[in-house]
Amino acid sequence: MTPRRQLVVLVSADLISNLGTRISVVTIPWLVLVTTGSPTKMGLVAFAETLPYLLSSALGTPWADRIGLRRTSIFCDAGSAVAMVVVALTPWLGFVPLVALVAVAGALRGIGDRVKHVMFRPVAEAAGVPLIRLTSAYDGLSRVVTLFGAAVGGLLIAVFGVTEAILIDAASFGVCALLIGVLVRPPAAPTQPAQPESYLRALRGGFSYLGRDRPLLGMLAVISALNMVANASVAVYIPVWVARELPGPSGLGLVLAAFSAGALLGNLVFTALGPRLPRRLTFLVGALVAGTPRLVALAISDELPVVLVVTFLSGIGIAAVNPLLGVALYERVPPELQTRVIGIAGSLAFVGLPVGALLGGWSVDALGLTPALLTMAAACLVITAYPLLNRTSGPDTPARPTPVATR
């Protein structure tokens, strides 16, 4: 198989895995609801999947380096498939075993997702595909998966039932393992030390490198802030604004769809133009447009068309941010450290999601909607303006030579 086709298969496997994750976000809590009738337990099982995902993304990567990226990916996808089959076929085990199985599946997906992303670089280089074009196209496709994944989960439950929906979810992870196991052969990894590092030393090496790379840390702080704003908006701010300003809930879907539509359009444009754009300026403008304006629009306007237009433009802005972080990680981090650093970076970027949901609810209860929006907008502006205020931070800043191992 040609390198370009291998790249298509690898990206497709990752997107299928993401689709399975989005489906499970719907099907597993629904299983809990129909078997226990408890909304509290629904929240617990969702948390049990998310937290191990974040932790394993950062803490499990040294083992992936030792086992091998391709083998780790196959093992994690196959393990996720087995865990979902057990969840579907043995609901009589009870709630605690269900939580444990979901946590195992979440942890496996966290490692599996990270190693697939590390494999993107060598496969793309072998195929002659520019990294900035790959990261932009992938970001757009993953947004499509995110947009439709929950709807697919609900449709599967409606058509087949919750048990069959979870089995279909399990099959998606099996397909990923099969695709990578049969069709993907990444170029040989960089030569590893004759004596493998201990787990703690390897993990410390990843944290140490990232701690010294101020441009990457700045980008991660910006993206974590944008994730915080996104989740606070989806979970709290937009629903509360719609309930306060509009006669019915239909505006909720319109606002969410406006952001997704803007992001998809932005991804198409950025995929075509990204290699020719100045990276630092593009990242800065995209981050500034993506976060603060949508919050300010909700705070100062009661007109749905105004909010829709600003939200759409914010979606266009976000389209440049994640791809530029991705290409910065590929280009700045030494290949032998990429599994660890990309895993840690992913966890740091995603930590804004649970924080955003918590801060969104607390801020509205404590301050009211408009003050909460303006406060969050100000905080987001300060963080996203960091690359402008600090000239050493941004994707155009050259990487400095850094020791690879801590021996």
Side-chain angles (χ1 to χ4, degrees):
M1 179 174 285
T2 65
R4 188 172 290 268
R5 289 181 179 176
Q6 287 196 53
L7 179 62
V8 171
V9 171
L10 177 60
V11 172
S12 298
D14 186 80
L15 293 171
I16 293 171
S17 177
N18 285 346
L19 179 62
T21 299
R22 302 299 173 186
I23 292 173
S24 69
V25 167
V26 176
T27 56
I28 300 299
W30 189 263
L31 176 68
V32 173
L33 181 62
V34 299
T35 55
T36 71
S38 171
T40 299
K41 288 183 177 179
M42 290 176 68
L44 286 174
V45 79
F47 179 79
E49 184 175 17
T50 303
L51 181 61
Y53 182 95
L54 293 177
L55 292 177
S56 70
S57 294
L59 303 181
T61 48
W63 290 315
D65 275 333
R66 183 168 297 189
I67 296 170
L69 301 182
R70 179 173 167 273
R71 280 182 289 182
T72 300
S73 176
I74 296 168
F75 171 80
C76 289
D77 286 330
S80 295
V82 171
M84 289 297 99
V85 169
V86 176
V87 167
L89 298 182
T90 57
W92 45 265
L93 287 176
F95 181 69
V96 173
L98 172 64
V99 168
L101 285 166
V102 169
V104 168
L108 289 171
R109 288 175 204 167
I111 304 173
D113 286 353
R114 296 290 80 76
V115 298
K116 288 185 188 69
H117 294 168
V118 176
M119 286 192 288
F120 281 177
R121 175 184 177 176
V123 176
E125 289 176 342
V129 176
L131 290 174
I132 188 67
R133 188 154 287 163
L134 169 64
T135 56
S136 181
Y138 172 79
D139 188 59
L141 292 170
S142 65
R143 289 185 186 281
V144 174
V145 169
T146 300
L147 183 62
F148 293 106
V152 171
L155 181 63
L156 290 175
I157 293 173
V159 174
F160 299 105
V162 66
T163 297
E164 291 77 6
I166 296 174
L167 289 174
I168 293 172
D169 184 19
S172 71
F173 295 113
V175 168
C176 294
L178 186 63
L179 286 173
I180 292 179
V182 175
L183 299 177
V184 177
R185 294 287 189 277
T191 303
Q192 297 295 325
Q195 279 289 51
E197 295 176 288
S198 68
Y199 169 80
L200 290 178
R201 179 171 292 178
L203 188 64
R204 188 167 62 246
F207 276 102
S208 177
Y209 180 89
L210 189 57
R212 290 191 295 268
D213 196 319
R214 292 180 63 190
L216 279 180
L217 282 178
M219 296 177 74
L220 285 169
V222 168
I223 290 177
S224 187
L226 293 175
N227 282 333
M228 178 180 68
V229 167
N231 216 28
S233 298
V234 171
V236 181
Y237 294 148
I238 295 173
V240 173
W241 183 87
V242 168
R244 188 181 75 175
E245 303 293 350
L246 302 179
S250 59
L252 176 61
L254 289 174
V255 176
L256 297 178
F259 188 80
S260 297
L264 292 176
L265 175 61
N267 278 121
L268 291 174
V269 173
F270 190 73
T271 299
L273 302 180
R276 298 192 293 273
L277 295 175
R279 294 185 184 179
R280 186 173 183 276
L281 178 61
T282 303
F283 182 86
L284 174 63
V285 172
L288 290 173
V289 170
T292 300
R294 61 192 299 210
L295 297 175
V296 173
L298 291 170
I300 66 175
S301 177
D302 58 1
E303 296 292 331
L304 180 60
V306 173
V307 170
L308 290 177
V309 169
V310 175
T311 302
F312 178 80
L313 295 175
S314 293
I316 293 176
I318 197 66
V321 175
N322 287 333
L324 285 171
L325 172 65
V327 77
L329 285 166
Y330 289 137
E331 292 180 350
R332 297 180 64 84
V333 180
E336 60 270 26
L337 284 177
Q338 284 193 355
T339 308
R340 283 165 272 175
V341 174
I342 289 176
I344 296 166
S347 294
L348 292 176
F350 286 137
V351 77
L353 295 173
V355 171
L358 292 174
L359 284 180
W362 173 82
S363 62
V364 172
D365 282 338
L367 305 173
L369 178 60
T370 298
L373 286 165
L374 293 175
T375 301
M376 183 71 84
C380 182
L381 178 62
V382 170
I383 297 173
T384 53
Y386 176 79
L388 177 64
L389 301 174
N390 186 348
R391 296 292 300 179
T392 65
S393 177
D396 282 339
T397 307
R400 291 167 297 189
T402 308
V404 169
T406 53
R407 292 191 178 277

